[in-house]
Structure formats: structure tokens, C-alpha cells
Amino acid sequence: MGNNCIFCQIVAGEIPSKKVLEDDNFLAFHDINPVAPVHILIIPKTHYPNFAQTPPEVFTPMAEFIKKVAEKVGVTDYRLITNNGKGGGQEVFHLHIHFIANPGGTLKWGKLV
Ligand code: AMP
């Protein structure tokens, strides 16, 4: 577990979260500050600081888990984002993939700086 890692604390049940789906290795829960009607965070239960510091083999089962999250919430159209490092907009240093969707509509895309 990462020292004082908020997402490790969510995994441990020490901080509450609105869970969407869970298995032995991954957890999906609603973002506390959603940027779209559906904004879910998907994390490995094991602490890796970010994308660059995660072993590649984690991503194959994580991809399968993300597809199950999509099925569970009933969306086929969505956006996946991971912010890597402070300059990439990362604020919580436990790997997470943002699952963002606007069911029945579209997501905007535009300049980020
Ligand atoms: P990032 O900037 O990529 O590190 O994203 C961190 C995300 O975690 C933000 O979208 C926050 O709204 C979200 N977040 C922070 N604390 C919590 C929490 N306790 N429960 C759910 N989402 C959180």
C-alpha cells in the first residue's frame, strides 16, 4: 500500500466510495467530482503510482475489467483517460483510468491548455 494513498484507503474500505464493480484485482467507483454524467475511476487494488510505473501485464486484465464496467453501466460509447505525472494533470498517485461517458449524447473534445 502506498503511504497515505487515498485510493489504497478506498480499496481497504477506510474511505467510503460509490462502488460500481469489483473483483480480486480491480475496483471501479464513481469519481467524487464528475466531469460528465458518467465518470468512473478504475484502479488496480495494488498500488502503482501511475501508468508509466505499472507493469505492462497489469493492463490486459484491466482492459477486460473496464469492458465489464461498460457492460455494467450499460454504455457502449465512452472515453478512457489516464493522467500520467503532475504535468499530465495527475493529482492522485495511484494508477487510475477515468471512464467518462455521456449516454445518449456525445462528449466534447478541445484544447486542454
Ligand atoms: P487525476 O487528476 O487524474 O489524478 O484524478 C484524480 C481524480 O480522483 C479526480 O477526478 C478526483 O475528483 C477524484 N477523487 C479524488 N478523491 C476522490 C474520492 N475520495 N472518491 C472519488 N474520487 C475521488
Side-chain angles (χ1 to χ4, degrees), residues 6-7 10 15-17 29-34 39 41 82-83 89-93 96 98:
I6 190 169
F7 288 175
I10 284 176
I15 290 179
S17 70
F29 56 97
H30 291 284
D31 195 294
I32 206 168
N33 188 20
H39 188 171
L41 300 175
T82 192
N83 297 324
Q90 187 176 5
E91 291 181 348
V92 177
F93 286 80
H96 53 283
H98 296 258

Side-chain angles (χ1 to χ4, degrees), residues 26 48 50-63 95:
F26 301 101
Y48 305 106
N50 58 24
F51 173 82
Q53 295 178 70
T54 301
E57 58 269 23
V58 171
F59 292 105
T60 299
M62 195 167 183
L95 173 68

Side-chain angles (χ1 to χ4, degrees), residues 1-9 11 44-50 53-55 92-95:
M1 183 201 259
N3 277 345
N4 298 319
C5 171
I6 190 169
F7 288 175
C8 284
Q9 289 174 289
V11 169
K45 291 187 173 179
T46 301
H47 181 90
Y48 305 106
N50 58 24
Q53 295 178 70
T54 301
V92 177
F93 286 80
H94 180 128
L95 173 68

